[in-house]
Amino acid sequence: MLPKRLKKSPIIDAVFDIRINTEKSLAISIPGLILQKYPDAKVSRSPAYGIPDQVLAENPNLRYLAVLRIEIGDGTVFLCGEKMFAVGYSSPYPGWEEFSLRIREALKILSTVERDQAVERIAIKYVDFVDKTVCDEIRTFSTFKVSLNNQDITDNDFAFKVASKQDKVSYVLQLTSNAKTLDRTGFVIDTDTILDFVDFYGKIVKVGDLVADFSGIEYLHKEAKSVFFSVVSEAGLKLLEAEYDEQ
C-alpha cells in the first residue's frame, strides 16, 4: 500500500505538463487569460523566448520549451510554450489535493482557447531531494543498488537513468548521488511519468475531454507515486515519516 502523504516531503519541484497539436502559440494565447484572473502575477521570460520561426522549423522539439513563466502569489507557477502548457510548484510542495486543483484550473484555462485540440502528451514530473542531514547514505534510504564488475558502487558518485513502461504509463527515472542545491548536499530522485491516454481513455483525447473526465490525471498521479516509492526502502519511509490511510 502506498503512503497517503510524507510528513517530511522531499519534493523540491512538481510539474504537470500538457502538449497539444495546435497551430497557435500558447505563449501568446494563454498568458492574457492568466493575468485577467491574477493581475498581480509576475511574468518572466526564459532564454528560449523569441526563438526565430526558422529555428523552430529546423528543430520542432523547441516548440515544447517553456518561454514564459507566470508566478502567482501562493507560489503556483504556470509555464507557457509554443505547444505546451504546464503548472507546478517549487518547494514547498502543497500536496496533491492542492496541486490537482491547480491542474484542473490549468486545463480549464487551456480549454478556453483549445478545447477541441488533440493532446500529444500528458505528464507529471517530480524532483525529490534527500538532504544528507536526513540520510547520509543512499543505500539506507533506497532499495536502489549499482554494481560494476560484480562490485557494489552505490557509495560512489553516480547518475543513473532508466526508461520503462507499465500499465497505461511510461516513465523515466533518474537517480543522482552527491547532488547539490543551494548550500545543501544530498541525492535526487527524479521521475517523469507519462500517461498513455489512448490506452487509458480508449481514444484520441482532446483538451475538453480532460476537463470533463479527470480520472486519467488521477491515475497518472498514482502511478507517478508508485514509481517513486518503488525505489524507497522501509527505512527511507520511516525517515520521511510516511502516513497511511487507516484500514
Side-chain angles (χ1 to χ4, degrees):
M1 181 174 64
L2 297 179
K4 183 176 182 180
R5 69 178 63 86
L6 301 172
K7 292 180 69 174
K8 294 182 177 179
S9 174
I11 297 172
I12 61 171
D13 201 22
V15 178
F16 166 85
D17 86 84
I18 179 170
R19 300 175 184 178
I20 64 172
N21 181 17
T22 177
E23 297 302 318
K24 304 174 185 177
S25 170
L26 299 183
I28 294 175
S29 61
I30 294 295
L33 297 175
I34 298 174
L35 292 173
Q36 283 179 11
K37 189 171 184 179
Y38 303 104
D40 295 328
K42 298 178 181 178
V43 182
S44 58
R45 298 175 179 177
S46 80
Y49 184 86
I51 296 176
D53 288 342
Q54 181 179 352
V55 177
L56 291 175
E58 293 173 355
N59 189 346
N61 287 330
L62 294 176
R63 296 184 182 276
Y64 301 116
L65 293 178
V67 298
L68 288 179
R69 183 180 191 274
I70 306 172
E71 182 173 355
I72 63 177
D74 66 352
T76 304
V77 174
F78 296 98
L79 302 170
C80 305
E82 291 291 307
K83 292 190 175 188
M84 65 80 66
F85 184 41
V87 61
Y89 297 88
S90 296
S91 184
Y93 174 64
W96 175 245
E97 184 175 352
E98 179 64 27
F99 189 19
S100 65
L101 291 176
R102 287 301 188 192
I103 294 172
R104 290 177 186 270
E105 179 183 16
L107 290 173
K108 288 180 181 178
I109 291 171
L110 181 59
S111 71
T112 301
V113 292
E114 300 286 2
R115 183 176 185 85
D116 295 323
Q117 289 296 337
V119 172
E120 294 184 341
R121 183 182 191 267
I122 311 167
I124 291 179
K125 180 181 179 68
Y126 283 110
V127 180
D128 294 85
F129 178 84
V130 181
D131 196 298
K132 283 198 172 183
T133 60
V134 175
C135 183
D136 60 0
E137 291 187 344
I138 194 170
R139 67 169 67 249
T140 301
F141 181 85
S142 175
T143 58
F144 176 75
K145 297 291 185 293
V146 182
S147 63
L148 183 64
N149 294 329
N150 296 319
Q151 292 186 347
D152 187 354
I153 60 171
T154 307
D155 290 335
N156 298 356
D157 291 351
F158 65 85
F160 182 83
K161 179 178 180 179
V162 61
S164 189
K165 183 173 176 59
Q166 296 180 352
D167 185 32
K168 298 183 179 64
V169 299
S170 58
Y171 66 87
V172 177
L173 170 68
Q174 299 184 76
L175 295 98
T176 307
S177 67
N178 204 30
K180 293 184 179 180
T181 175
L182 298 177
D183 58 348
R184 299 190 298 160
T185 302
F187 48 90
V188 170
I189 301 174
D190 180 321
T191 58
D192 190 9
T193 313
I194 305 157
L195 180 67
D196 184 339
F197 49 83
V198 175
D199 192 6
F200 185 88
Y201 287 104
K203 63 179 182 180
I204 298 296
V205 172
K206 297 181 179 179
V207 175
D209 295 326
L210 299 175
V211 175
D213 185 353
F214 198 71
S215 62
I217 313 300
E218 292 284 2
Y219 179 82
L220 175 62
H221 170 251
K222 179 178 71 71
E223 292 302 305
K225 283 180 61 176
S226 178
V227 172
F228 170 75
F229 285 118
S230 69
V231 296
V232 180
S233 65
E234 287 297 324
L237 291 175
K238 290 180 180 179
L239 288 168
L240 297 178
E241 299 183 14
E243 295 183 334
Y244 298 83
D245 282 330
E246 295 183 4
Q247 296 298 304

